[in-house]
Amino acid sequence: MNERQQILPLLRSHLRHSQQPEITGHCDAGTLAAFAERTLDRTERDRVADHLSQCQNCRDTLALAAEAVPSSPTEMQFHVKGIYAIAALASLCIAAVIFQHAKTLPAAPQQQQQPVASNNPPPVLSFNGPPAFSPRLTGAQVIEPILTVPTPLWRINSSRSPATLEISYTSGRTWAPIRTPDFQPKSVAAEGANVWVADAKGTVLESTDLGLHWRRLPHTVQHRLSAR
Amino acid sequence: MQNGADSIPETLALVNACLNGDETAWNTFIARYRPVLYSAALAIAKDGCLARELADSLWADLYGTRTDGNGRRISKLATYTGRGSLEGWLRTLLAQEFIDRHRKQRRLLPLDDNAPPLIDDPDRFTEVADPRLNLAFQKALAELKGEDRLILAAHYLDARNLAEIGRMLGLHESTISRRVSKSTRSLRKRTIHHLRKSGIGTKEAAELIAADAGQIAINLRDHLLPLKDAL
């Protein structure tokens, strides 16, 4: 029997048989409601708690009224947990899709493992690797060990002015800027060697060679993309 | 506010208007709080018929079925002071009414001759053998915060689970669990402290508690009642 358990029998043995104390001057409904809602000041809260610890009638009332509260903190906690569970499940599904997609891609030549120098575009002609993802999709790093080439990552570096598009072949350790003439990129998406960047106005540029050459997408295509 | 609609002053204004016989205010009150009242009654009574009876009875009291000398209805709404939300107040009134009815009904039940005695083992009510331990434990209990004593009473006296106590106090059950553990640890520590103050050594005090743990019941009710006197 540990130290805490030594105290418990002392309490429990009587609790099973104790009778309700006859206390007069029960808490009124407003006080109990305010206590449950934690709106009493500290002094009064202590006084009411003191009474409640001695009065089974008021404890029963408080407990029963608490059961009728539509959304208790515990239930709210359950909802929050449920949201996390759904998010975790969605993440697993996304990871599974990425994993499956990556397995279907052919192996890339070994020379692709060289990091890209900061001002040089990546060796796009020999690129035959897996899909690239924006830095927000960190799942790309999860699948990296099964790939034969480093997965290029893309990001918009907003710390520069103007914001620049950057690529990394080193899992985000080093980044190289990619030129997008007369264009201020706001977001980026990529799949394999295909890269799309959009600006704040919704204009979309497309590159099929990892950012070496760009072309502006017609509005109809942009509309279709934005409708995805 | 529970329904996110009214502040306490707005609710009080509505209640005062209802008490002054403003029919528009009363209609507003009905629209807002009648569903609350009935759903709360159902949650408390857990029986459709009883819930409706309970809610109707309270609703009649709120409206006021009697009048005073000036012809004004005597409404239970007059006792709402705005200390808590109106929904909370209504739920508490329902709970009080339900408990009152339940206890009245229990008193009216015929006695069962074969029912076991209320106290099946009088020996279990033996007071703590050593009065020094009794006194030390009493002081230790009195030194706990009121809310911690409430949690212990709800858990060990009323056998409520942590989630139920959490709902009573507006706290998460993990918080209640921590506080139960902390309070019981503190009880033991403070009991030893008071035993030491009465001239008993630490080792002897611990042994005294351990020896009494399995065989002696402390009358918690008697300890909970005169807390203020003990301080």
Side-chain angles (χ1 to χ4, degrees):
Chain A
M1 187 181 288
N2 64 31
E3 292 182 347
R4 187 185 160 218
Q5 285 171 334
Q6 285 174 359
I7 286 292
L8 298 185
L10 297 175
L11 299 173
R12 283 197 182 114
S13 58
H14 177 76
L15 300 179
R16 282 197 298 271
H17 302 279
S18 63
Q19 295 179 0
Q20 179 187 335
E22 294 297 331
I23 295 178
T24 55
H26 294 298
C27 295
D28 63 87
T31 303
L32 285 178
F35 182 85
E37 291 165 3
R38 305 185 79 85
T39 53
L40 295 176
D41 63 59
R42 187 172 181 159
T43 309
E44 187 163 20
R45 184 168 180 82
D46 286 345
R47 187 183 62 76
V48 175
D50 195 48
H51 171 82
L52 284 165
S53 69
Q54 302 165 41
C55 178
Q56 190 183 8
N57 188 74
C58 287
R59 280 201 307 275
D60 286 346
T61 305
L62 185 68
L64 205 53
E67 281 184 32
V69 177
S71 181
S72 68
T74 305
E75 287 162 344
M76 285 167 63
Q77 187 73 13
F78 172 77
H79 290 316
V80 171
K81 281 180 182 172
I83 289 168
Y84 281 125
I86 291 167
L89 190 61
S91 301
L92 278 175
C93 290
I94 292 169
V97 169
I98 292 168
F99 181 78
Q100 197 64 28
H101 184 56
K103 280 207 301 185
T104 61
L105 292 170
Q110 289 300 312
Q111 61 265 30
Q112 286 300 313
Q113 294 180 358
Q114 295 301 318
V116 180
S118 61
N119 286 322
N120 296 329
V124 292
L125 295 178
S126 59
F127 179 83
N128 196 20
F133 302 95
S134 76
R136 280 171 288 182
L137 281 178
T138 52
Q141 294 174 13
V142 174
I143 63 170
E144 194 176 85
I146 65 164
L147 303 175
T148 54
V149 293
T151 305
L153 299 176
W154 295 88
R155 74 174 183 187
I156 304 295
N157 188 347
S158 303
S159 60
R160 293 189 177 190
S161 184
T164 54
L165 176 66
E166 294 181 343
I167 189 170
S168 171
Y169 278 89
T170 56
S171 300
R173 287 192 296 276
T174 56
W175 291 90
I178 300 293
R179 285 195 323 119
T180 50
D182 303 326
F183 192 80
Q184 290 191 15
K186 193 78 176 173
S187 58
V188 60
E191 185 179 18
N194 299 317
V195 188
W196 298 272
V197 288
D199 67 0
K201 296 172 189 171
T203 307
V204 179
L205 299 186
E206 181 187 52
S207 169
T208 56
D209 52 9
L210 284 172
L212 193 60
H213 301 94
W214 294 96
R215 75 180 182 97
R216 191 181 299 262
L217 289 186
H219 286 291
T220 51
V221 178
Q222 289 182 29
H223 179 74
R224 200 173 68 241
L225 283 173
S226 63
R228 277 185 180 179
Chain B
M1 295 298 295
Q2 296 295 320
N3 64 356
D6 295 342
S7 64
I8 293 281
E10 285 169 341
T11 310
L12 277 175
L14 178 68
V15 166
N16 283 334
C18 289
L19 290 171
N20 287 328
D22 187 323
E23 286 303 316
T24 309
W26 183 249
N27 288 335
T28 305
F29 181 76
I30 290 173
R32 283 187 192 168
Y33 295 104
R34 199 176 167 93
V36 174
L37 193 67
Y38 279 86
S39 61
L42 190 60
I44 287 170
K46 296 180 177 62
D47 173 84
C49 293
L50 184 56
R52 179 158 284 277
E53 191 186 324
L54 200 64
D56 285 343
S57 168
L58 179 56
W59 200 250
D61 287 344
L62 291 171
Y63 186 75
T65 52
R66 292 178 294 126
T67 54
D68 61 11
N70 298 323
R72 285 181 57 172
R73 289 196 305 266
I74 301 173
S75 167
K76 204 164 193 169
L77 268 178
T79 60
Y80 176 66
T81 57
R83 302 193 77 189
S85 70
L86 192 52
E87 292 96 328
W89 181 73
L90 290 171
R91 279 194 296 268
T92 310
L93 284 179
L94 283 169
Q96 282 178 335
E97 178 66 19
F98 181 79
I99 288 170
D100 285 348
R101 285 183 181 212
H102 182 72
R103 292 205 165 125
K104 277 178 195 167
Q105 197 178 22
R106 199 172 55 178
R107 280 200 290 269
L108 293 174
L109 286 175
L111 291 172
D112 182 1
D113 291 338
N114 296 322
L118 285 174
I119 300 171
D120 57 350
D121 184 4
D123 291 340
R124 303 190 76 147
F125 281 90
T126 309
E127 279 295 327
V128 173
D130 193 322
R132 293 172 302 177
L133 178 57
N134 194 18
L135 185 63
F137 187 80
Q138 191 176 8
K139 284 180 180 173
L141 196 59
E143 285 167 355
L144 288 180
K145 286 181 186 172
E147 196 168 273
D148 288 332
R149 283 198 302 272
L150 166 60
I151 290 171
L152 286 180
H155 195 47
Y156 294 120
L157 268 176
D158 306 338
R160 297 194 187 283
N161 63 36
L162 301 176
E164 288 172 330
I165 301 169
R167 282 198 292 272
M168 284 168 68
L169 297 177
L171 298 170
H172 192 266
E173 61 181 284
S174 59
T175 306
I176 302 296
S177 175
R178 279 195 299 274
R179 289 180 68 169
V180 167
S181 300
K182 190 178 170 188
S183 297
T184 48
R185 274 199 309 271
S186 172
L187 265 178
R188 186 180 187 281
K189 193 175 170 184
R190 298 300 301 168
T191 302
I192 290 175
H193 171 76
H194 288 298
L195 284 171
R196 285 186 61 196
K197 278 174 74 176
S198 66
I200 299 174
T202 306
K203 192 177 176 185
E204 191 185 351
E207 285 172 356
L208 196 59
I209 292 175
D212 287 350
Q215 53 188 340
I216 300 171
I218 287 183
N219 189 326
L220 184 66
R221 182 197 63 190
D222 290 349
H223 287 157
L224 286 167
L225 283 173
L227 288 171
K228 287 177 184 170
D229 297 339
L231 290 170

